[in-house]
Amino acid sequence: MDIQTIKHRFSIIGNTYSLNRSLDIAIQVAPTDLSVLITGESGTGKEVFPQIIHQFSSRKHAPYIAVNCGAIPEGTIDSELFGHEKGAFTGALSDRKGYFEVANKGTIFLDEIGELPLSTQVRLLRVLETGEFIKVGSSKVLKSDVRVVAATNLNIPKAVKEGKFREDLYYRLNTVPISMPPLRERQEDIYLLFRKFAQDFAEKYRMPPLRLDAGAQQLLKSYRWPGNIRQLKNITEQVSIIEKERQIGADILKVYLPRNDEQMLPALYTDSSKKDQGFSSEREILYKVLFDMKKDMTDLKKLVFELMQTSGDSSSLQKDNALLIRKLYEDQEIDILQHQASAHTSATVSSSGDSEIQDTEEFIEESLSLEDKEVELIRKALDKHSGKRKYAAQDLGISERTLYRKIKEYDIN
């Protein structure tokens, strides 16, 4: 049979080269027992090709079973495909044959093969390689002579890299690949499909068929059709039922075409290498301040703990702690210098304006001695816990014995 006869038999509309090429591959591979993997976007008509392969094979008089792998729950998929024994799980009240046992000598079409769980993929690989399988809850090995045709709208090589699909199963299924072109790549076929659907719905609902003017035809061809043939069929049915006029223009047809302009806009570019980035809300600013405070407190606790384990001499500090001290008090030293400069400026201006007025502001420089800081923290901890050394030591992160030694060493009352 030639391609045009096959198209008429299976209601395939279109003359695009990519469509004819896919049909030609299906016809050539049909007499063999090779596994076939059909790929393409959802709604491109992948489900027709397994029927063609089955009808032109030596298995055409044997069973043909189509299984939607994405519609079967993960917990029962093994039972559906390979069967189960009575009592294998809750609800297994009797033995059940699986699809591979029922379709012996025939063809199984596994639609949405990319949705199979990894455990089921292992079982499927064994069937494809040896023809053997085991029912759920059984230890008996059964054999089945089945031709497998699979289809998916997923990017299987990408799923393999992400660990969601077995690489060995992919190569076993992909013995003969068939790719279905999306509708947007078949522009010359779009109006032919519309006329076919319009005629079918006119007969179904007993009304005159739709006709499109030149503007509507051009709009039909220029639309991207993300839902492919399925979307075109649905829109044709909507217009056939809702519109009273049988002559459809571009302004009417545009109402039924979903606007995807927002989804087609380019993504905004942001330079992630910039260190100083703005915040989208005040909440993010608050979170950043809190996280910085928490980090500073953690660093300070680490420093105090190191001091408590030493004799209090700064020379025994580790090098990284010296850098930590510098970081902790760097901002504070900057504030002190700025304050001193401001005070000096104020005093200069005051003396130049009136010699009798003197600046009485006195700046008391905060002590940066590690020993003084240690004494101050110990006093605060003791005051907080009313002089109870046990709880003060726990708060400081040191042992009670170390705290007692520090109190005696610094003569803290």
Side-chain angles (χ1 to χ4, degrees), residues 115-171:
E115 304 296 334
L116 276 181
L118 290 174
S119 59
T120 307
Q121 293 179 27
V122 177
R123 287 172 171 260
L124 178 60
L125 180 62
R126 183 181 181 186
V127 175
L128 292 174
E129 291 182 343
T130 65
E132 298 178 348
F133 66 95
I134 301 176
K135 288 185 175 182
V136 178
S138 174
S139 58
K140 182 180 179 181
V141 178
L142 303 177
K143 294 188 72 69
S144 179
D145 179 17
V146 175
R147 173 54 164 316
V148 175
V149 180
T152 181
N153 59 1
L154 298 179
N155 186 340
I156 296 297
K158 181 180 178 182
V160 170
K161 291 181 179 179
E162 296 176 350
K164 298 178 181 178
F165 200 86
R166 291 183 62 91
E167 185 176 11
D168 47 5
L169 177 59
Y170 168 62
Y171 291 124

Side-chain angles (χ1 to χ4, degrees), residues 13 31 98 126 150 152 161 163 170-171 188 190 196 220 237 253 274 277-278 306 322 332 336 358 360 386:
I13 307 296
R126 183 181 181 186
T152 181
K161 291 181 179 179
Y170 168 62
Y171 291 124
E188 60 269 31
I190 295 177
K196 173 65 168 60
L220 205 69
E237 186 173 15
L253 183 61
K274 294 181 179 179
Q277 296 181 349
E306 184 71 22
Q332 188 173 5
I336 292 172
Q358 297 180 357
T360 59
S386 303

Side-chain angles (χ1 to χ4, degrees), residues 158-187:
K158 181 180 178 182
V160 170
K161 291 181 179 179
E162 296 176 350
K164 298 178 181 178
F165 200 86
R166 291 183 62 91
E167 185 176 11
D168 47 5
L169 177 59
Y170 168 62
Y171 291 124
R172 188 64 181 81
L173 289 171
N174 201 36
T175 306
V176 178
I178 296 178
S179 178
M180 287 296 297
L183 187 57
R184 60 181 172 273
E185 296 179 3
R186 300 170 52 191
Q187 290 191 0

Side-chain angles (χ1 to χ4, degrees), residues 105-374:
K105 304 297 183 181
T107 304
I108 286 185
F109 170 44
L110 299 177
D111 196 9
E112 304 298 341
I113 189 71
E115 304 296 334
L116 276 181
L118 290 174
S119 59
T120 307
Q121 293 179 27
V122 177
R123 287 172 171 260
L124 178 60
L125 180 62
R126 183 181 181 186
V127 175
L128 292 174
E129 291 182 343
T130 65
E132 298 178 348
F133 66 95
I134 301 176
K135 288 185 175 182
V136 178
S138 174
S139 58
K140 182 180 179 181
V141 178
L142 303 177
K143 294 188 72 69
S144 179
D145 179 17
V146 175
R147 173 54 164 316
V148 175
V149 180
T152 181
N153 59 1
L154 298 179
N155 186 340
I156 296 297
K158 181 180 178 182
V160 170
K161 291 181 179 179
E162 296 176 350
K164 298 178 181 178
F165 200 86
R166 291 183 62 91
E167 185 176 11
D168 47 5
L169 177 59
Y170 168 62
Y171 291 124
R172 188 64 181 81
L173 289 171
N174 201 36
T175 306
V176 178
I178 296 178
S179 178
M180 287 296 297
L183 187 57
R184 60 181 172 273
E185 296 179 3
R186 300 170 52 191
Q187 290 191 0
E188 60 269 31
D189 297 339
I190 295 177
Y191 184 57
L192 296 176
L193 287 165
F194 177 85
R195 289 176 56 186
K196 173 65 168 60
F197 295 147
Q199 185 64 39
D200 291 344
F201 292 129
E203 295 176 0
K204 179 179 180 180
Y205 298 112
R206 300 178 181 179
M207 58 178 63
L210 294 175
R211 297 185 303 274
L212 300 181
D213 61 16
Q217 293 181 31
Q218 183 60 35
L219 178 62
L220 205 69
K221 293 179 180 180
S222 61
Y223 187 67
R224 289 187 57 84
W225 298 107
N228 295 292
I229 300 176
R230 185 182 294 118
Q231 183 186 12
L232 175 61
K233 184 177 181 179
N234 292 341
I235 289 179
T236 306
E237 186 173 15
Q238 291 179 33
V239 179
S240 298
I241 296 174
I242 297 175
E243 294 298 327
K244 296 181 180 180
E245 295 292 335
R246 297 292 89 184
Q247 184 72 23
I248 304 299
D251 54 342
I252 297 177
L253 183 61
K254 189 182 298 183
V255 177
Y256 294 90
L257 298 179
R259 292 179 59 86
N260 295 324
D261 299 345
E262 295 80 0
Q263 300 178 3
M264 300 302 294
L265 291 176
L268 296 177
Y269 172 76
T270 55
D271 188 0
S272 59
S273 63
K274 294 181 179 179
K275 295 182 179 180
D276 298 328
Q277 296 181 349
F279 297 92
S280 59
S281 65
E282 294 181 358
R283 180 179 299 177
E284 293 184 6
I285 299 176
L286 179 60
Y287 284 161
K288 184 178 186 304
V289 172
L290 292 175
F291 288 148
D292 291 342
M293 291 176 61
K294 181 179 179 181
K295 184 177 182 300
D296 291 341
M297 289 299 299
T298 303
D299 294 341
L300 185 59
K301 287 183 179 179
K302 178 183 176 182
L303 174 61
V304 173
F305 179 76
E306 184 71 22
L307 290 172
M308 294 300 183
Q309 301 302 319
T310 63
S311 61
D313 187 4
S314 59
S315 61
S316 63
L317 291 174
Q318 299 178 0
K319 183 178 180 180
D320 58 342
N321 285 336
L323 296 175
L324 184 60
I325 296 169
R326 181 177 180 182
K327 178 182 179 301
L328 286 173
Y329 297 103
E330 185 178 13
D331 295 339
Q332 188 173 5
E333 290 175 353
I334 293 174
D335 292 340
I336 292 172
L337 293 175
Q338 291 178 348
H339 189 85
Q340 289 176 341
S342 176
H344 177 72
T345 304
S346 300
T348 304
V349 173
S350 177
S351 60
S352 62
D354 189 352
S355 58
E356 296 182 357
I357 301 177
Q358 297 180 357
D359 186 9
T360 59
E361 181 180 1
E362 181 181 358
F363 177 75
I364 302 176
E365 183 178 359
E366 182 180 359
S367 174
L368 299 180
S369 170
L370 294 176
E371 182 177 329
D372 293 343
K373 290 292 182 182
E374 188 175 7

